Amino acid sequence: AQCRAICRTHGIRVLHANSANPVQWLVPAAFGARLPVLAHLHIDYLRRSRYVLLLHQATRIVGVSRQVTDGFVEDGMAAERLQVIYNGIDFSRLPPSSVDLRATLCIPAEAIVIATAGSLVQRKGHDVLIRAFHSLPGSVTSHLIIGGDGEELSSLQALAGSLGIADRVHFLGHCSTMSDVYQAADIFALATRRDAFGLVLAEAGHFERPVVATRVGGIPEVIAGEQTGLIVAPDDVPGFTAALSRLIADPALRASMGQAAKARVAALFTVDHMARQFEEAYETLAAIPPAELRWKQALQRVRPYGSLLFRNRTSKPRYAR
């Protein structure tokens, strides 16, 4: 009732849920007020969560990558109710850096710098990157910069120490200015085990940095393989080492991939491009006649529920996604 009152007071025409949890109470309110609901999802959800949170009853699902919407396709949700809008970069957050991070860290000018960023948690795969970095050929001096903090800091520092590379692995902690990191790097790397999008990869591309990352989640949608970077399997230390070695050995390839990455970011991953797509989505949803947004229209959206029931008759439900 409170939600419907707010909608009436402010003349709201579209309800935007910025994650899955609000959908479970926005949908009933929206049906009563005859308003469309857009569910903006930043991660993929388990099948059980997709049903319990009433996500199939949202008028439109918008995912930050195809990987986020794939589960709804499997559920049987109509394709016209699914959309991908990639995250956009606010370039004002990434002004050119005035800090020479290499000099601050006493990294030789001729050294190759590999950088990464993200929470220091198991999911991000920093242990894989450290092991891959350790396996690089010793003919070229290289340093690894890791931006971010988290529960695995001490264990990752211990890993670098046990491998004898602690003097070349630099833990920066939380970085308030990521421009410093991107500008200091020759290569950006992300060994994550799971990631719906990988915004840092797009940000690195804005700074013309080639990347090496894992083939998980939405990352293959951010990176154009062999054009803006190299993609390897998750937890593949030898594969990651080989990809890094390839870029280290070929400055021309680094330059061409960096230039292609900047062009890709400008075309697909700007905040202006994202805003325009959302504006178009809002206009489309707002144009739906209110009579088509009543409770009885919910019966037209039961296909995903029917497919789940049918699966339950023949096999155990799969909640792995």
Side-chain angles (χ1 to χ4, degrees):
Q2 184 180 6
C3 179
R4 290 196 294 270
I6 292 173
C7 291
R8 286 193 299 270
T9 300
H10 297 280
I12 291 171
R13 299 168 63 195
V14 177
L15 293 171
H16 179 135
N18 197 40
S19 65
N21 285 333
V23 175
Q24 61 190 316
W25 59 267
L26 275 181
V27 160
F31 277 133
R34 299 186 185 183
L35 292 173
V37 175
L38 182 152
H40 186 197
L41 305 183
H42 303 266
I43 61 173
D44 60 326
Y45 287 83
L46 298 173
R47 176 171 287 123
R48 176 171 54 190
S49 297
R50 297 197 293 268
Y51 286 94
V52 170
L53 297 175
L54 302 181
L55 292 177
H56 302 93
Q57 292 294 340
T59 318
R60 179 172 296 188
I61 297 289
V62 173
V64 297
S65 66
R66 288 191 299 274
Q67 183 256 353
V68 172
T69 61
D70 281 348
F72 295 94
V73 175
E74 294 177 5
D75 296 341
M77 194 168 182
E80 60 267 21
R81 292 174 52 216
L82 299 170
Q83 183 178 0
V84 172
I85 297 180
Y86 294 128
N87 288 326
I89 299 172
D90 179 2
F91 295 120
S92 67
R93 293 177 49 252
L94 296 169
S97 173
S98 59
V99 175
D100 186 345
L101 189 57
R102 287 177 176 245
T104 300
L105 298 174
C106 299
I107 297 175
E110 70 277 8
I112 292 291
V113 173
I114 300 164
T116 191
S119 300
L120 304 186
V121 294
Q122 193 270 347
R123 175 173 61 87
K124 287 296 186 179
H126 296 299
D127 57 313
V128 174
L129 178 55
I130 290 173
R131 293 183 186 279
F133 175 76
H134 167 257
S135 299
L136 290 172
S139 56
V140 176
T141 301
S142 56
H143 283 249
L144 175 61
I145 294 174
I146 300 177
D149 53 23
E151 61 192 35
E152 289 206 334
L153 173 59
S154 59
S155 63
L156 292 172
Q157 289 175 326
L159 175 62
S162 68
L163 295 173
I165 54 174
D167 59 327
R168 294 189 292 119
V169 178
H170 309 272
F171 293 91
L172 303 182
H174 173 72
C175 298
S176 58
T177 308
M178 281 299 298
S179 300
D180 302 345
V181 177
Y182 297 129
Q183 288 184 191
D186 296 290
I187 301 166
F188 192 84
L190 190 66
T192 182
R193 295 179 169 97
R194 184 166 60 87
D195 210 312
F197 184 75
L199 185 63
V200 290
L201 299 173
E203 290 181 345
H206 171 65
F207 284 87
E208 296 190 26
R209 298 305 184 255
V211 302
V212 177
T214 43
R215 189 179 294 106
V216 298
I219 285 178
E221 298 173 56
V222 179
I223 300 173
E226 296 293 330
Q227 297 177 38
T228 67
L230 303 176
I231 305 177
V232 300
D235 283 302
D236 182 0
V237 173
F240 219 97
T241 300
L244 290 173
S245 298
R246 180 181 168 190
L247 289 179
I248 289 172
D250 195 337
L253 180 61
R254 295 202 303 271
S256 65
M257 283 188 169
Q259 292 165 4
K262 186 175 181 64
R264 183 173 177 82
V265 169
L268 296 177
F269 307 123
T270 68
V271 70
D272 289 340
H273 182 61
M274 180 183 72
R276 285 195 301 272
Q277 288 183 293
F278 270 111
E279 287 176 358
E280 292 169 1
Y282 294 153
E283 290 171 357
T284 299
L285 293 174
I288 298 175
E292 296 182 12
L293 296 168
R294 295 188 297 183
W295 275 107
K296 68 178 184 179
Q297 269 64 44
L299 296 175
Q300 300 173 6
R301 303 178 184 173
V302 299
R303 181 182 175 191
Y305 300 89
S307 65
L308 178 67
L309 291 172
F310 179 77
R311 263 198 299 266
N312 285 349
R313 292 178 183 176
T314 59
S315 62
K316 294 181 179 180
R318 295 183 298 119
Y319 295 131
R321 290 187 60 84

